[in-house]
């Protein structure tokens, strides 16, 4: 029964809600971009790798001049008079191969390090074999830094770093959804502790358990922990600054471009100049280099990739903390204003109801 003076409000007409085109078009386009970038990077880099100034030590000035003229920019000839020093440089990853004359001055001898990567080693061997054939000389090849028994293709370090990068990326995705539930310091603690645990577990599986990565356990775990931290904090930072597009951007940066240019499947000396530059700057490439140095080259050049990983992890964490701290003071003020508006409206409603009762 209706009260006098009170008229029921008509119900608004029910219309079927239409979502804007952007709602379904955006994820569709993001998926296409990611699959296109993934296929282009991996397949494109392996499609036709070309050697570019691969560092090779050549003993003897005459042989060095002949090799340089014959092979051009494909290799970077490092002239040397001491075979012992050249092999020492090969063991420390300063060069990729050593070319000199064979025993008793007959034929040619090529020393390689397959631990540099099978693609790079095969490219150097192919170039020098073609030169020896053209010079009508016999060529013997020796591998003085061979790959480990359970790392026959030289890809164990790549797969370990890929898995650790993926785990850090996945954790950051979950942390993004927990931003309203966890305080900043708790999110930081979660990502930092996970990075340490991920490094310890991955290093234990790849090293002592499967015996596929011959690097010392604790240094390997440290490198992998830095990689996990770099992946997690970078992903979270991009999601904080860019919004919903941050996760796809992290996918492109870390999982697609970073891993495809890491130098494991295709050696960095066989990539285009742009890919070589990116390879040294992104966390996956830095991690693959660090793992190879720890495993096969006496940690000779591990400091540069370690610095890269630390910069990504620490830099992303600082940017993330700065953005979150900067936004935090605005929240209480906004909440306070809204709460005052709610209280004012409630008081107004109470006064109105009292006025109605008074009139009755």
């Amino acid at each position: 029964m209706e009260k006098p003076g009170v008229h029921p409000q008509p119900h608004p007409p029910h219309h079927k809600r239409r979502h804007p085109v952007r709602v379904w078009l955006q994820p569709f386009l993001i998926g296409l971009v990611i699959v296109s970038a993934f296929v282009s990077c991996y397949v494109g880099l392996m499609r036709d790798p070309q050697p570019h100034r691969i560092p090779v030590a050549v003993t003897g000035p005459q042989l060095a001049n002949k090799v340089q003229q014959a092979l051009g920019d494909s290799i970077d000839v490092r002239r040397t008079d001491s075979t012992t020093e050249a092999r020492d440089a090969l063991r420390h990853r300063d060069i990729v191969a050593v070319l000199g004359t064979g025993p008793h001055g007959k034929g040619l001898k090529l020393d390689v390090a397959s631990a540099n990567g099978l693609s790079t080693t095969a490219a150097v061997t192919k170039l020098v074999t073609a030169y020896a054939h053209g010079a009508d000389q016999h060529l013997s090849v020796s591998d003085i830094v061979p790959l480990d028994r359970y790392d026959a293709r030289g890809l164990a370090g790549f797969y370990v770093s890929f898995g650790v990068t993926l785990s850090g990326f996945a954790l950051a995705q979950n942390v993004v959804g927990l931003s309203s539930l966890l305080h900043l310091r708790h999110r930081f603690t979660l990502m930092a502790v996970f990075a340490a645990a991920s490094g310890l577990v991955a290093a234990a599986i790849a090293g002592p358990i499967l015996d596929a990565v011959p690097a010392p356990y604790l240094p390997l775990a440290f490198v992998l922990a830095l990689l996990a931290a770099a992946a997690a904090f970078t992903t979270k930072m991009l999601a904080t600054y860019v919004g919903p597009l941050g996760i796809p951007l992290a996918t492109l940066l870390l999982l697609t471009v970073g891993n495809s240019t890491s130098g494991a499947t295709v050696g960095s000396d066989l990539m285009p100049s742009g890919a070589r530059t990116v390879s040294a700057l992104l966390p996956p490439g830095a991690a693959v280099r660090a793992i190879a140095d720890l495993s096969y080259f006496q940690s000779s050049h591990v400091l540069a990739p370690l610095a890269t990983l630390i910069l990504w992890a620490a830099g992303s964490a600082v940017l993330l903390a700065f953005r979150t701290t900067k936004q935090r003071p605005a929240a209480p003020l906004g909440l306070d204003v809204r709460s005052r508006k709610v209280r004012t409206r409630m008081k107004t409603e109470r006064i109105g109801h009292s006025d109605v009762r008074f009139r009755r």
Side-chain angles (χ1 to χ4, degrees):
M1 182 175 180
E2 295 182 1
K3 295 181 180 180
V6 178
H7 302 284
Q9 295 293 328
H11 294 285
H14 178 72
H15 295 289
K16 187 176 181 181
R17 187 177 179 185
R18 294 183 179 180
H19 296 287
V21 175
R22 182 175 59 85
V23 171
W24 57 265
L25 186 59
Q26 179 174 303
F28 181 83
L29 292 177
I30 289 174
L32 283 183
V33 170
I34 290 176
V35 71
S36 300
F38 193 93
V39 174
S40 299
C41 288
Y42 277 92
V43 178
L45 289 175
M46 292 187 293
R47 178 172 173 265
D48 187 25
Q50 296 295 327
H52 178 76
R53 299 190 64 81
I54 301 177
V56 177
V58 181
T59 57
Q62 275 190 332
L63 179 60
N65 290 333
K66 291 179 180 178
V67 171
Q68 185 69 78
Q69 291 176 0
L71 300 181
D73 290 336
S74 297
I75 67 171
D76 178 18
V77 173
R78 310 282 179 87
R79 293 174 174 81
T80 179
D81 294 325
S82 172
T83 303
T84 303
E85 290 181 3
R87 288 177 178 171
D88 187 60
L90 179 60
R91 292 188 180 95
H92 286 82
R93 213 181 193 185
D94 296 321
I95 55 176
V96 170
V98 179
L99 178 62
T101 55
H104 311 292
K106 295 181 180 179
L108 297 173
K109 181 173 177 54
L110 179 67
D111 294 320
V112 297
S114 58
N116 272 310
L118 295 184
S119 59
T120 302
T121 304
V124 171
T125 305
K126 182 179 179 180
L127 287 170
V128 176
T129 300
Y131 168 78
H133 181 74
D136 197 21
Q137 295 196 54
H138 174 72
L139 176 68
S140 61
V141 181
S142 298
D143 187 358
I144 66 171
V145 188
L147 289 164
D148 194 71
R149 175 187 175 187
Y150 297 109
D151 186 22
R153 301 296 300 172
L155 296 177
F158 166 73
Y159 287 122
V160 171
S161 65
F162 188 95
V164 170
T165 303
L166 183 61
S167 69
F169 171 81
L171 176 77
Q173 276 189 300
N174 289 307
V175 171
V176 169
L178 297 174
S179 297
S180 60
L181 302 176
L182 294 179
H183 190 273
L184 176 64
R185 66 175 180 272
H186 296 148
R187 282 176 273 154
F188 269 53
T189 301
L190 174 60
M191 289 190 286
V193 171
F194 173 82
S198 178
L200 291 170
V201 170
I205 295 173
I209 296 177
L210 298 180
D211 202 21
V213 178
Y217 173 67
L218 287 180
L220 176 62
F222 181 63
V223 168
L224 295 177
L226 285 178
L227 176 61
F233 281 104
T234 299
T235 302
K236 182 66 172 70
M237 182 269 295
L238 289 174
T240 301
Y241 275 82
V242 183
L245 291 178
I247 299 299
L249 185 59
T251 304
L252 289 173
L253 185 67
L254 298 173
L255 299 179
T256 304
V257 178
N259 281 303
S260 64
T261 61
S262 62
T265 53
V266 177
S268 58
D269 293 309
L270 306 180
M271 296 180 188
S273 58
R276 288 198 302 273
T277 302
V278 169
S279 176
L281 296 177
L282 293 181
V288 168
R289 283 170 171 76
I291 293 171
D293 279 329
L294 290 171
S295 300
Y296 299 108
F297 298 102
Q298 306 170 44
S299 306
S300 301
H301 299 281
V302 76
L303 291 181
L306 278 180
T308 300
L309 291 171
I310 291 172
L311 284 174
W312 275 94
S316 298
V318 169
L319 289 173
L320 180 59
F322 172 77
R323 180 62 176 262
T324 308
T325 305
K326 186 178 179 181
Q327 290 178 338
R328 191 188 306 167
L333 180 61
L335 288 173
D336 187 54
V337 171
R338 286 194 296 271
S339 63
R340 285 203 300 268
K341 290 182 178 179
V342 171
R343 288 196 297 269
T344 302
R345 187 168 61 250
M346 291 175 65
K347 289 179 180 179
T348 303
E349 291 176 354
R350 284 198 297 269
I351 292 172
H353 290 310
S354 300
D355 185 53
V356 171
R357 286 197 299 270
F358 177 77
R359 289 179 180 176
R360 287 179 181 176

